Amino acid sequence: MNIVFMGTPDFSVPCLKALVESNHVVQAVFTQPDKPRGRGNKLIPTPIKKYALEYNIPVYQPSSLRKGDDAKTSLDVLQGLNPDLIVVVAYGQILPKTILELPKHRCINIHASLLPKYRGAGPIQRCILDGETLTGVTSMYMEEGLDTGDMLIKEEITIGKDMIADELHDALSEMGARVLLQTIQAIEDGTLIRTPQDDSKSTYAKMITKDMSHLDFSKSAQEVHNTIRGITGFTSLNGKRLKVFRSKILDISSNEPCGTIIDTNKFIVVCGDGGCIQFDEIQLEGSKRMETSTFLRGKKIDKTTLGE
């Protein structure tokens, strides 16, 4: 099958890799424009572009597929390629109807949630923030709405109680590659089953913003723990910014004010419901990211209140 692939971040790479290593032909890759990064504002290619160039796959980086000269040029390119299928994985642009209807087998998307839950841009982080214990990957036919198309194949994964977003991201990206190949095989075999989404059961995973990482210790221990797991938490310790990458909930409680470090040898903090969490991996402003046990061997902390 002749396929055009559209994707941008690391999450998309296993899917493209699976296609390259299959008996299908990847005619071209569409990805977001390079963005300036670092002190020198050097243009950095997307992970998908890097991978595609390694395999001499033509790369297109339109600023928009819906308007302007880039949109017209992109449509001309796609019409010239005449792909059997377009595969979209975390591309970051909305496809117009002219492209959605162009391929013989239309466009399919690999989405990192069990649709219709967590449609939108941040499903991996959102499901952890919400304390979900189950998620997965869904392949779907694309429509003009946001993640509203008919569902095709799903695969599930259990979210561990201390699993962080990076770990879930990696597991789901590999799962996405498997689901993609299964979906394409079912298309070729004529065995694909389409299941319409129940819009009444849909939820939306809005974009994650930096301010959401602020740790509010007046919340329950579970909520604070979920923030750390989902988007990396931050607070301040003696006037310095403290990032928290990993934590765990302890089976203890305290009547101390929320945000108080009640055990300076293990960095245990009390939360608003009296529950306590232990920081397991942190980074203090001016220092490297490290396990808390390593941090505490080199720095003594006082019984203080975080964020003050």
Side-chain angles (χ1 to χ4, degrees), residues 6 13 79 91 149 164 170 198-199 248 259 299 308:
M6 297 183 176
V13 173
Q79 288 173 334
Y91 177 35
I164 64 173
D170 292 349
D198 184 346
D199 291 340
K248 60 173 170 276
K299 183 177 179 60
E308 294 187 349

Side-chain angles (χ1 to χ4, degrees), residues 105-242:
H105 295 294
R106 298 179 66 91
C107 302
I108 62 170
N109 174 244
I110 300 298
H111 186 72
S113 79
L114 299 175
L115 291 171
K117 294 185 72 173
Y118 298 105
R119 295 171 177 172
I124 296 174
Q125 298 95 331
R126 282 286 176 182
C127 69
I128 292 180
L129 287 172
D130 291 349
E132 299 281 359
T133 58
L134 187 71
T135 189
V137 166
T138 306
S139 62
M140 53 175 278
Y141 272 120
M142 296 182 69
E143 295 179 351
E144 290 185 88
L146 182 62
D147 300 328
T148 57
D150 288 352
M151 300 177 293
L152 304 175
I153 294 177
K154 288 185 179 182
E155 188 173 334
E156 297 179 348
I157 184 174
T158 299
I159 305 172
K161 62 184 177 65
D162 296 324
M163 179 181 270
I164 64 173
D166 286 350
E167 295 167 338
L168 184 57
H169 169 281
D170 292 349
L172 292 177
S173 65
E174 295 295 335
M175 181 182 290
R178 294 194 300 271
V179 170
L180 172 60
L181 293 182
Q182 292 169 17
T183 303
I184 295 174
Q185 188 63 54
I187 291 174
E188 292 184 316
D189 295 343
T191 58
L192 198 63
I193 298 175
R194 301 175 62 147
T195 304
Q197 295 189 45
D198 184 346
D199 291 340
S200 69
K201 295 181 180 179
S202 69
T203 58
Y204 180 66
K206 294 186 289 187
M207 289 284 289
I208 301 299
T209 57
K210 288 183 179 180
D211 62 293
M212 293 170 57
S213 296
H214 175 70
L215 293 177
D216 180 357
F217 294 103
S218 68
K219 294 183 178 180
S220 69
Q222 187 66 62
E223 289 175 293
V224 174
H225 181 54
N226 289 347
T227 298
I228 293 167
R229 295 167 59 218
I231 50 180
T232 303
F234 77 88
T235 183
S236 59
L237 173 64
N238 298 326
K240 288 190 174 182
R241 184 183 176 92
L242 179 73

